[in-house]
Amino acid sequence: MSAKTKLPVGQEAIDEFGWLRAHRFLLLRRASQVFFLTLFLIGPWFGIWWFKGNLSGSMTFNVLPLTDPFITLQGFFALHWPETTALIGALIVGVAYALIGGRVYCSWVCPINPVTDGAHWLHEKLGMSKGWQPKKNTRYWVLGMVLAVSAITGTVAWEFVNPISMLHRGLIFGMGFAWAFVIAVFLFDVFVSRRGWCGHLCPVGAFYGLLGTKSVLRISAEKRADCDDCMDCFAVCPEMQVITPALRGKDEDTPLILSSDCTNCGRCIDVCAMDVFKFTTRFDDTPAPAREQRTRTQPASGASKAA
Amino acid sequence: MSAPKRKPSSMDRRRFLQDAARGAAGCAVAGMALTQFISDARALPAQAIRPPGALDEDDFLAACIRCGLCVRDCPYDTLKLAELGYDGPATGTPYFTARDIPCEMCEDIPCVVACPTGALDKELTNIDDADMGLAVLIDEEKCLNALGLRCDVCYRVCPVIDEAITLERRHNERSGHHAIFMPIVHSDKCTGCGKCEKSCVLPGESAIKVLPRRIAMAEAADHYKLGWEDKNPLVDELIDLPDRLPGPGTDNLVAPGGYTTDALPDPSMEGGFTSSFSLPGTGGSN
């Protein structure tokens, strides 16, 4: 690896395109997270009841019902068949995320995302080791466990402990001691496991990941030939295993990041000084030649744009 | 980057089995902890009353997604979502405390209409059929009416006045010549709205409280027969006392027209008579 890997992550992109462009998807994402929280707060704060409820279930303009499909699924396992309103709501949300990428929920909507992003920032600041890294299928085990407990107890099991709804509902309706769950997730990610909660354990993320397996909106490493191995995309990606097959693929391999773990957060687009990544659809078959094969003794320095 | 393809070896199988065992064991432990947590969180305190139309607590926790739409559509801010640690019910589920704000029993029942899942049952269309709990006059030592005063507030605020709560007149043993107007709650009419509990004039706790029916009501003793309600004999045609008929040969001396055998008048005499029936073993003559 070159000396450039020692630069702060994203520094080249900032030098190349300016700070704003090198953070555009991060800023958009934060705006989106604030937006989805604010929708539900303008009611209690200003008495304008356009949006009622929370992420578990809501009613918009008294006509559009939305329901969390994962909670609805747990209800099925608890042997409750809901009213049509909830079913329609779950269907709308389910179809939307199936199209734009299930884990778009994780990076653009979920209120826990800023918490774990903050934890990751502190984790790096403190120079902690990555700690316990559960196997990549652990989240699916947890998902199965939640559904099993729903069936055994006859309840919507995850809602008793879910830090996402605890935080979201807490901010809108009143927090109680729910912040303890949020702090627990934060501390877990800082001290126990890097990117541990969202990246390895959360069954909500696992569910939405499965939901978006065939999603249309995808990120493509279309200009992967230009990659100069600065590794910044791997450093910012919360699910870094998803990048490799696309970025390091051969000519015949697709440059699309097709893994359902990808949250479509767009940070790789932000930090790449070579502009390798872009948002596109899964049907995009623009030819994307792989970069030249390099040997260990002759790294990519020659191909660097900044050189 | 790409490793040469290997045939699955026994090491792969061992690794797979180890990973599976680890995942299953970890999830079993986490699942048991979650199950335990849920069974604790399920204990619904007696003062926490679910909204009208709420399913039984077990079914309710399978149905309620804790969205708070019932809370938003409650015009009197009666309902609230339980906050973790402060309030008793399962986190985020709707309830109300009658002593703070009771249910005003809206005719259109907006909370039930708002519920997207049916945790509040859409079958409830008449609020008078609601069954949130049952008012119980829990402290007869402090209730002003029970002491012989005329407070009557619980009776007067009741939305189902004279049906859910009636005043029953009793003799005041203490004074000897006054009446006690005792508030009596009728379980078939009480909706559990809690207006009586809210308006009880006593400071602090109310003398009349809405409790969940599981606590407030006993089970009927079906093995006891309430003769004044059920006139049919206990066992049909089997147990029946012998009829004590007047007439010759019976021992029914008191009944009008009863005679002893030795005082039997001669049937041929004027005014004598022959009985129109005969009992086995007695006969009309000696």
Side-chain angles (χ1 to χ4, degrees), chain B residues 14 40 81 84 119 246:
Chain B
R14 170 180 285 255
D40 282 356
L81 292 187
L84 187 71

Side-chain angles (χ1 to χ4, degrees), chain B:
Chain B
M1 296 271 11
S2 60
K5 286 209 170 158
R6 292 184 300 139
K7 279 184 187 167
S9 68
S10 66
M11 283 307 286
D12 290 336
R13 198 176 307 126
R14 170 180 285 255
R15 157 91 33 110
F16 171 78
L17 288 173
Q18 273 182 351
D19 287 350
R22 195 171 289 166
C27 283
V29 172
M32 279 193 287
L34 182 59
T35 307
Q36 177 62 39
F37 184 81
I38 289 171
S39 58
D40 282 356
R42 257 175 164 167
L44 184 67
Q47 308 92 309
I49 304 170
R50 293 291 186 205
L55 304 175
D56 286 345
E57 187 65 7
D58 281 347
D59 297 330
F60 187 78
L61 291 179
C64 176
I65 60 170
R66 311 171 186 207
C67 63
L69 288 174
C70 54
V71 173
R72 290 301 184 224
D73 281 8
C74 175
Y76 297 97
D77 289 338
T78 300
L79 296 175
K80 48 193 173 177
L81 292 187
E83 294 182 26
L84 187 71
Y86 294 159
D87 307 317
T91 312
T93 55
Y95 77 105
F96 69 96
T97 309
R99 190 64 163 157
D100 298 338
I101 310 176
C103 174
E104 294 287 342
M105 289 177 59
C106 314
E107 284 198 0
D108 50 348
I109 330 180
C111 49
V112 173
V113 175
C115 180
T117 66
L120 307 182
D121 196 347
K122 294 271 193 292
E123 301 272 300
L124 180 71
T125 48
N126 179 2
I127 189 64
D128 287 341
D129 296 335
D131 181 14
M132 296 170 268
L134 177 61
V136 178
L137 182 59
I138 208 160
D139 194 345
E140 296 192 5
E141 293 176 342
K142 310 267 171 46
C143 170
L144 297 177
N145 268 42
L147 291 173
L149 305 169
R150 288 304 297 275
C151 160
D152 294 2
V153 168
C154 57
Y155 162 77
R156 301 224 172 263
V157 297
C158 179
V160 205
I161 185 169
D162 276 324
E163 292 184 63
I165 302 183
T166 55
L167 293 179
E168 187 181 281
R169 217 160 71 161
R170 289 181 189 169
H171 179 59
N172 187 338
E173 298 286 353
R174 184 186 54 78
S175 73
H177 57 279
H178 293 98
I180 286 176
F181 289 82
M182 199 65 185
I184 303 291
V185 181
H186 301 274
S187 64
D188 53 335
K189 298 288 185 194
C190 176
T191 63
C193 72
K195 295 204 75 165
C196 52
E197 177 173 346
K198 166 68 182 172
S199 42
C200 176
V201 299
L202 295 181
E205 293 288 323
S206 170
I208 189 166
K209 286 181 178 172
V210 175
L211 296 175
R213 284 186 181 239
R214 67 189 152 87
I215 294 174
M217 289 186 83
E219 203 169 324
D222 287 333
H223 52 287
Y224 277 95
K225 206 145 180 73
L226 308 181
W228 58 94
E229 283 184 1
D230 191 354
K231 304 283 190 209
N232 295 322
L234 193 61
V235 184
D236 288 337
E237 315 268 333
L238 274 181
I239 299 174
D240 194 7
L241 294 172
D243 296 316
R244 310 182 81 194
L245 298 171
T250 73
D251 58 352
N252 194 352
L253 304 178
V254 252
Y259 299 95
T260 54
T261 43
D262 49 348
L264 206 65
D266 185 351
S268 61
M269 281 170 63
E270 199 183 338
F273 75 101
T274 313
S275 58
S276 60
F277 55 87
S278 64
L279 293 169
T282 56
S285 63
N286 41 356

Side-chain angles (χ1 to χ4, degrees), chain A residues 41 54 164-176 178, chain B residues 83:
Chain A
L41 283 172
N54 55 39
I164 301 169
S165 40
M166 292 263 184
L167 178 58
H168 195 254
R169 186 174 56 233
L171 291 170
I172 297 164
F173 286 92
M175 186 69 90
Chain B
E83 294 182 26

Side-chain angles (χ1 to χ4, degrees), chain A residues 77-79 149-156, chain B residues 42 58-59 61-63:
Chain A
F77 274 77
L79 298 182
V149 173
S150 288
I152 293 166
T153 59
T155 61
V156 181
Chain B
R42 257 175 164 167
D58 281 347
D59 297 330
L61 291 179

